[in-house]
């Protein structure tokens, strides 16, 4: 779908995208009428440069977006969330939900020529349970993976996992070669930067600061695909230069808001470009302020509540995101209509109330009008987090909180926030994933506080009732009861606010109109692009 926006308000576009991007309400995309064209090089823009290419422990956006061209999952998901067989061709589930059996695709080979077997799946799933930010919750009830033969995998669960069949995409549960990773530290294995997968493209090279090259896998299990000969991944750190690259035709596609929101309407008028909002249902994004609860100031609930009253979310929506999205009311994106509830405590923009709360917290102003000073680290993806940080600094100065912004590259940010825990508060993007157990739980579950694992419980939040609700939702098979558990969870964290959710973001892909079949699934541009092709 190519979306043009003349006469369409930003807020209307944002509201449309919240539905279209969800992938929940739209029919499956129809195949292009013309015969796919073979050959050609796709120029894929990514920002920032990834820190790795196999998301076993690091689920940074660029890592996830690129890895799925090389490594795969058991299933893909159509835009309506129906299953697309990938490394698994079928499955069965016992009535009690405690045993899942997968039949694997036969004749699949790893890019180094070794056969793909059930041992690879067993190794990968148990690794994800141990090291993946979301996998700790996703596979919490997985006790054992049995491999009765080379093409059968049996998951033995200690309790049902009603969400699990939504967690098997390559970006969420990548299947990696046991013979490459077994016996190593999966977080530092060198093949994280030169992966061997089963996917339609093979890794060829990575020139740091410049580009990557993926080449066509001639032995791909889906005969005749991919259609493209290669993908060249470009890294362009300057936001203005990224917009120019699309204008001049230097690049063909980019996802996860690859250009500044301020340029989106202008570029949407260029006839050679299209804007796609679908393909983000698998991971709708919420921007958020995450507090380090080990910080003596932010450990006080009154201080977090004061920040919530001091920050005007509408200003962020209109001036940072240019209206492309909605004000967030809690940790679950509005696109997840089944689980989302607006019936939670809200913090109106009220600087007077913020000042009262800070006084109550015993934090008076000094002679210079400052109550205390903290540092703030914006996520180094795009420019919206830095712009949000600049606004947050100004807003908190009005209530006596002095904020110093610290900007850094992604590797430094991850080390500082998640390994060293040398931060006070951040603003970042939290990917919801298709189910709250998969995407939301990781930020609020006390058992997911694991220093060194990116995008986990960075706030170090602990609430026994929240843990109980999240763990109950992990195993609840009654859909209505499960929805209520997540509603109750949202109400508690809205009061505790270890994280202040600000904007339910409208994410988009920008692409050349000559690129076809780039968005066929619920994970859109994050999928493997085996069916994508270029026309002249």
């Amino acid at each position: 779908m190519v979306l043009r926006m003349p006469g369409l308000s930003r807020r209307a576009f944002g509201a449309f995208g919240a539905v279209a991007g969800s992938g929940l309400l739209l029919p499956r995309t129809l195949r292009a009428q013309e015969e796919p064209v073979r050959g050609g090089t796709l120029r894929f823009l990514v920002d920032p440069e990834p820190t790795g290419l196999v998301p076993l422990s690091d689920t940074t956006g660029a890592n996830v977006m690129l890895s799925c061209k090389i490594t795969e999952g058991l299933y893909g998901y159509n835009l309506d969330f129906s299953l697309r067989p990938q490394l698994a061709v079928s499955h069965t589930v016992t009535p009690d939900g405690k045993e899942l059996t997968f039949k694997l695709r036969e004749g699949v080979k790893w890019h180094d020529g070794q056969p793909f077997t059930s041992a690879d799946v067993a190794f990968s799933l148990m690794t994800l349970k141990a090291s993946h930010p979301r996998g700790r919750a996703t596979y919490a009830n997985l006790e054992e993976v049995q491999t009765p033969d080379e093409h059968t995998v049996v998951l033995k669960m200690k309790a049902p996992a009603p969400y699990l069949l939504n967690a098997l995409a390559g970006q969420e549960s990548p299947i990696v070669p046991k013979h490459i990773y077994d016996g190593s530290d999966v977080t530092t294995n060198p093949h994280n930067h030169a992966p061997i997968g089963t996917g339609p493209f093979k890794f060829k090279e990575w020139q740091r600061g410049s580009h990557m090259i993926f080449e066509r896998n001639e032995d791909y299990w889906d005969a005749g695909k991919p259609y493209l000969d290669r993908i060249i991944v470009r890294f362009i750190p300057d936001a203005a230069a990224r917009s120019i690259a699309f204008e001049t035709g230097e690049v063909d596609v980019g996802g996860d808001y690859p250009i500044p929101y301020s340029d989106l309407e202008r570029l949407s008028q260029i006839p050679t470009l299209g804007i796609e909002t679908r393909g983000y249902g698998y991971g709708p994004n919420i921007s958020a302020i995450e507090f380090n609860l080990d910080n003596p100031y932010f450990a006080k609930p009154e201080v977090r509540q004061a920040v919530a009253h001091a920050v005007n979310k509408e200003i962020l929506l209109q001036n940072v995101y240019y209206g492309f999205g909605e004000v967030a009311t809690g940790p679950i994106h509005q696109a997840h209509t089944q689980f989302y509830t607006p019936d939670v405590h809200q913090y109106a923009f009220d600087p007077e109330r913020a000042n009262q709360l800070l006084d109550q917290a015993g934090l008076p102003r000094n002679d210079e009008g400052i109550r205390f000073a903290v540092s703030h680290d914006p996520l180094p993806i795009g420019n919206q987090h830095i712009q949000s940080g600049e606004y947050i600094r100004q807003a908190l100065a009005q209530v006596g909180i002095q904020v110093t912004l610290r900007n850094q590259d992604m590797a430094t940010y991850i080390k500082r926030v998640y390994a060293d825990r040398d931060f006070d508060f951040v603003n970042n993007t939290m990917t919801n994933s298709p189910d709250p157990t998969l995407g939301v739980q990781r930020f609020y579950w006390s058992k997911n506080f694991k220093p060194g694992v990116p995008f986990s419980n960075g706030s170090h939040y602990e609430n026994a009732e929240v843990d109980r609700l999240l763990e109950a939702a992990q195993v609840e098979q009654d859909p209505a009861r499960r929805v209520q558990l997540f509603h109750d969870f949202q109400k508690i964290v809205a009061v505790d606010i270890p994280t202040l959710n600000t904007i339910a973001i409208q994410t988009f892909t920008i692409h050349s109109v000559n690129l076809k079949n780039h968005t066929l699934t619920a994970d859109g541009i994050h999928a493997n692009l085996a069916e994508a092709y270029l026309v002249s």
Side-chain angles (χ1 to χ4, degrees), residues 301-421:
E302 300 93 337
V303 174
R304 303 195 300 274
Q305 293 163 9
V307 172
H309 282 298
V311 171
N312 189 331
K313 296 180 183 180
E314 191 65 33
I315 287 179
L316 286 172
L317 176 61
Q318 297 303 330
N319 293 279
V320 174
Y321 292 92
Y322 285 75
F324 295 108
E326 299 179 65
V327 167
T329 59
I332 295 180
H333 198 290
Q334 282 92 317
H336 282 323
T337 54
Q338 179 183 5
F339 300 110
Y340 167 78
T341 177
D343 184 22
V344 299
H345 183 76
Q346 298 296 314
Y347 298 86
F349 175 58
D350 188 347
E352 182 177 350
R353 178 58 181 155
N355 278 307
Q356 292 172 353
L357 286 164
L358 292 168
D359 289 339
Q360 292 172 18
L363 297 167
R365 294 176 185 263
N366 63 17
D367 292 341
E368 296 178 344
I370 298 172
R371 299 177 185 274
F372 62 89
V374 288
S375 60
H376 182 69
D377 297 281
L379 180 72
I381 293 179
N383 66 337
Q384 64 272 19
H385 300 101
I386 293 173
Q387 292 176 349
S388 295
E390 291 169 348
Y391 166 70
I392 291 165
R393 177 174 58 186
Q394 296 171 14
L396 297 191
Q398 300 304 308
V399 296
I401 301 175
Q402 185 179 68
V403 175
T404 299
L405 289 183
R406 301 189 298 192
N407 297 321
Q408 58 244 300
D409 61 23
M410 180 59 76
T412 303
Y413 175 89
I414 288 174
K415 183 177 184 296
R416 167 173 277 165
V417 174
Y418 295 101
D420 300 340
R421 295 192 56 75

Side-chain angles (χ1 to χ4, degrees), residues 30 63 67-68 155 160 176 196 232 288 293 304 318 321 344 418 512 534:
L30 296 177
N63 300 24
S67 68
C68 298
L155 277 56
V176 299
I196 291 172
I232 295 179
L293 301 188
R304 303 195 300 274
Q318 297 303 330
Y321 292 92
V344 299
Y418 295 101
S512 165
L534 289 162

Side-chain angles (χ1 to χ4, degrees), residues 31 38 200 216-218 220-227 530-531:
R31 299 290 182 89
R38 297 189 178 278
R216 184 178 192 271
N217 177 11
E218 298 289 347
Y220 187 48
W221 55 260
D222 195 353
K225 297 173 186 172
Y227 299 123
E531 297 178 72

Side-chain angles (χ1 to χ4, degrees), residues 483-511:
V483 165
Q484 187 59 54
L485 289 167
F486 282 122
H487 285 186
D488 293 345
F489 151 76
Q490 290 171 80
K491 291 177 182 179
I492 294 174
V493 298
V495 174
D496 287 354
I497 51 171
T499 294
L500 175 61
N501 298 281
T502 55
I503 307 298
I505 305 170
Q506 171 56 67
T507 316
F508 62 89
T509 297
I510 184 167
H511 61 93

Side-chain angles (χ1 to χ4, degrees), residues 32-72:
Q33 295 300 311
E34 68 269 16
E35 186 72 18
V37 176
R38 297 189 178 278
T41 296
L42 177 67
R43 298 161 301 172
F44 196 129
L45 183 145
V46 166
D47 178 69
E49 184 170 357
T51 53
L53 277 174
V54 183
L56 287 172
S57 62
D58 183 353
T59 56
T60 307
N63 300 24
V64 171
M65 188 183 301
L66 295 177
S67 68
C68 298
K69 285 59 179 169
I70 300 169
T71 56
E72 298 181 292

